[in-house]
Amino acid sequence: MYNFIIGLYAFIVYIISPFHKKARLIVKGHRDVFKKLESEIDPNAKYIWLHAASLGEFEQGRPIIENIKENHPSYKILLTFFSPSGYEVRKDYELADIVCYLPFDRKSKVKRFLNLANPHMAIFIKYEFWYNYVNQLHKRQIPTYMVSAIFRPNQIFFRWYGKFYQKMLHFYSCICVQDENSKQLLNNIGVNNVEVCGDTRFDRVLDIKAGAKTLPIAEAFTKNEKGEKQITLVAGSSWPKDEDIFIKYFNGNPDLKLIIAPHEIHEAHLSYIESILKRPSIRYSKATVENIQQYDCLIVDSFGLLSSLYEYGEIAYVGGGFGVGIHNILEAAVYGIPVFFGPNFKKFREAHQLIEEGGGYPIQDDENFWSLMNEFLEYPQVLSSAGNLAGEYVRNNAGVVDKVMQIIDLK
């Protein structure tokens, strides 16, 4: 049944590819995988194969790649993606020796892939459970690890009909989970090859902060004509529902400055943002250090700046919580500022913990957001304390990569 479903999925992707951009990229990428491996694999080298579903999982795996390259340079890295949103952005990642798509989990494709790649070790990030790959790696006695995994009671592994998937969990050399609850769930079904290591994203955001870009326009924007710092809200990865809430508040509070880095930067969305703003705004592409202080809102119309922009704010709003789920709140919290986000955060462990620590603030509507913002603006000590708690939470959960590398134990 599993193999039938995988085959059916692959067939559907192929059929819709002429009409669907993402499917078309997958088909093209899969067509090139084996040629790429045949031409680029060095048969005399030892490869560590790291697989990430998409860009988010790549960011979790990236600190491991960097550690391997720094401390074990004799190994080469084979990096694979399932989603075009990961591959297209990171296909030229400089620390990976080979980057390609992962062929669908069909037995013939799996065997051909592993015969060509012949990895010394395999590392899967967070949620990538592919039975034929893991089974074949196990049969070939290739050490296989799952990193930054998190498990919940409603997953198929813990259902009465999930025995097939439970079997796969025993094939891993070690499953490195984020929390004790995940370990306990696995232990309850007889899976004991488990270690609690945490989430590598904490290490990643600290690395990002250390290498943050200096942005003179953003720095100048947050100051008034006297050179005094003004309280600035940085809204990252925002969607229209998010923007309706924080822009309405911003419009009525002249002492607050606003930086918006929306999730989508196409013209229609940027124009929508501008249409609901009642105070002077400018797009980042048109801003200069000389003209920026004339404006109260800075709209970022390019990618790649958000993780550095949070440094210039006293408060963060991370979008997505009124849709499928919040975006990366750790990118903001690492700078020691409190983080607002919408109600859809149930599946995000870091959001629950940040709330418990006092640095995260879920909101349900305008009234909720306004009340919290008024408190922060009226009582600077409350704002400062919340920010300190957010930064401390990130720092206290770092060091995950070192734990993982001790388990992997490369010689």
Side-chain angles (χ1 to χ4, degrees):
M1 180 60 71
Y2 175 85
N3 290 319
F4 173 77
I5 292 172
I6 294 294
L8 180 62
Y9 178 75
F11 177 72
I12 292 172
V13 170
Y14 179 80
I15 290 297
I16 68 172
S17 61
F19 321 102
H20 191 284
K21 182 180 179 181
K22 184 175 179 180
R24 189 161 57 251
L25 287 169
I26 290 175
V27 169
K28 182 182 181 300
H30 284 206
R31 188 185 301 130
D32 298 336
V33 166
F34 296 118
K35 291 179 184 177
K36 190 179 185 73
L37 293 177
E38 287 169 352
S39 63
E40 296 186 18
I41 283 285
D42 178 356
N44 299 313
K46 285 186 177 180
Y47 284 87
I48 295 178
W49 167 31
L50 187 141
H51 175 67
S54 191
L55 195 57
E57 288 78 12
F58 165 77
E59 289 298 325
Q60 287 180 289
R62 183 170 176 165
I64 296 173
I65 296 174
E66 292 173 352
N67 186 290
I68 291 170
K69 282 297 187 180
E70 181 178 354
N71 298 307
H72 305 279
S74 61
Y75 290 94
K76 291 194 173 187
I77 298 292
L78 167 61
L79 173 63
T80 60
F81 289 97
F82 183 80
S83 169
S85 61
Y87 176 79
E88 295 300 326
V89 174
R90 292 301 179 188
K91 59 187 176 184
D92 297 318
Y93 178 52
E94 64 278 4
L95 292 187
D97 297 279
I98 301 174
V99 184
C100 63
Y101 281 92
L102 182 68
F104 290 118
D105 192 28
R106 303 168 74 177
K107 289 183 178 180
S108 61
K109 301 290 186 183
V110 168
K111 289 179 180 179
R112 187 178 179 190
F113 177 87
L114 292 177
N115 286 342
L116 288 169
N118 190 27
H120 175 76
M121 176 184 295
I123 301 172
F124 294 83
I125 305 298
K126 197 173 183 178
Y127 286 139
E128 286 296 89
F129 298 99
W130 297 112
Y131 183 88
N132 289 321
Y133 277 106
V134 178
N135 183 32
Q136 193 61 217
L137 287 163
H138 178 68
K139 286 182 176 179
R140 298 179 185 216
Q141 297 185 322
I142 296 171
T144 303
Y145 300 88
M146 175 66 68
V147 172
S148 290
I150 189 162
F151 292 86
R152 301 180 184 88
N154 61 352
Q155 288 174 305
I156 193 170
F157 307 103
F158 312 108
R159 304 288 189 175
W160 63 266
Y161 50 82
K163 298 294 183 182
F164 172 79
Y165 289 91
Q166 288 181 17
K167 181 181 177 182
M168 171 173 48
L169 298 176
H170 294 277
F171 295 158
Y172 291 93
S173 305
C174 184
I175 301 173
C176 301
V177 297
Q178 293 187 24
D179 57 22
E180 193 66 42
N181 288 338
S182 294
K183 181 178 181 179
Q184 189 60 54
L185 281 169
L186 293 173
N187 289 168
N188 289 343
I189 59 172
V191 179
N192 298 308
N193 50 331
V194 187
E195 294 289 343
V196 178
C197 295
D199 189 344
T200 52
R201 283 183 301 166
F202 289 96
D203 297 70
R204 177 63 187 145
V205 294
L206 284 167
D207 289 342
I208 290 173
K209 180 187 177 186
K213 303 172 186 175
T214 299
L215 304 174
I217 289 173
E219 184 174 0
F221 171 76
T222 62
K223 296 178 180 178
N224 61 23
E225 294 178 354
K226 297 179 181 179
E228 299 168 331
K229 185 76 169 67
Q230 291 189 265
I231 292 182
T232 302
L233 171 66
V234 179
S237 303
S238 61
W239 294 82
K241 176 61 177 176
D242 303 302
E243 291 147 6
D244 290 345
I245 291 174
F246 63 72
I247 288 178
K248 190 181 295 183
Y249 182 86
F250 164 76
N251 284 336
N253 288 270
D255 293 330
L256 181 69
K257 287 211 164 188
L258 174 63
I259 298 175
I260 308 175
H263 184 72
E264 295 181 341
I265 59 171
H266 54 73
E267 182 59 33
H269 190 195
L270 296 174
S271 296
Y272 169 76
I273 291 171
E274 291 168 333
S275 73
I276 61 176
L277 284 164
K278 306 302 181 186
R279 295 170 61 190
S281 67
I282 187 172
R283 297 187 186 187
Y284 194 93
S285 60
K286 297 180 179 178
T288 66
V289 172
E290 290 72 30
N291 71 10
I292 191 63
Q293 288 184 347
Q294 304 172 35
Y295 301 94
D296 299 328
C297 177
L298 177 61
I299 304 170
V300 181
D301 54 352
S302 58
F303 291 118
L305 298 179
L306 178 57
S307 59
S308 297
L309 282 167
Y310 285 122
E311 181 177 1
Y312 298 94
E314 282 71 44
I315 309 168
Y317 183 112
V318 175
F322 288 93
V324 296
I326 57 174
H327 294 284
N328 192 345
I329 62 173
L330 297 180
E331 278 189 341
V334 72
Y335 287 101
I337 57 178
V339 186
F340 287 100
F341 43 86
N344 192 359
F345 62 89
K346 182 179 180 182
K347 293 183 178 180
F348 298 84
R349 171 178 170 267
E350 68 276 12
H352 292 278
Q353 291 187 332
L354 192 58
I355 293 167
E356 291 172 6
E357 295 296 329
Y361 294 82
I363 61 164
Q364 304 294 327
D365 50 34
D366 295 14
E367 184 178 348
N368 188 207
F369 179 69
W370 284 45
S371 175
L372 290 165
M373 282 294 293
N374 285 339
E375 183 177 8
F376 280 156
L377 297 185
E378 187 174 352
Y379 301 103
Q381 68 274 21
V382 175
L383 173 59
S384 176
S385 175
N388 289 335
L389 291 169
E392 189 175 309
Y393 165 68
V394 176
R395 292 189 296 273
N396 288 344
N397 284 276
V400 178
V401 174
D402 289 341
K403 295 178 184 176
V404 171
M405 295 308 296
Q406 287 176 10
I407 292 168
I408 291 174
D409 192 26
L410 288 174
K411 303 298 185 184

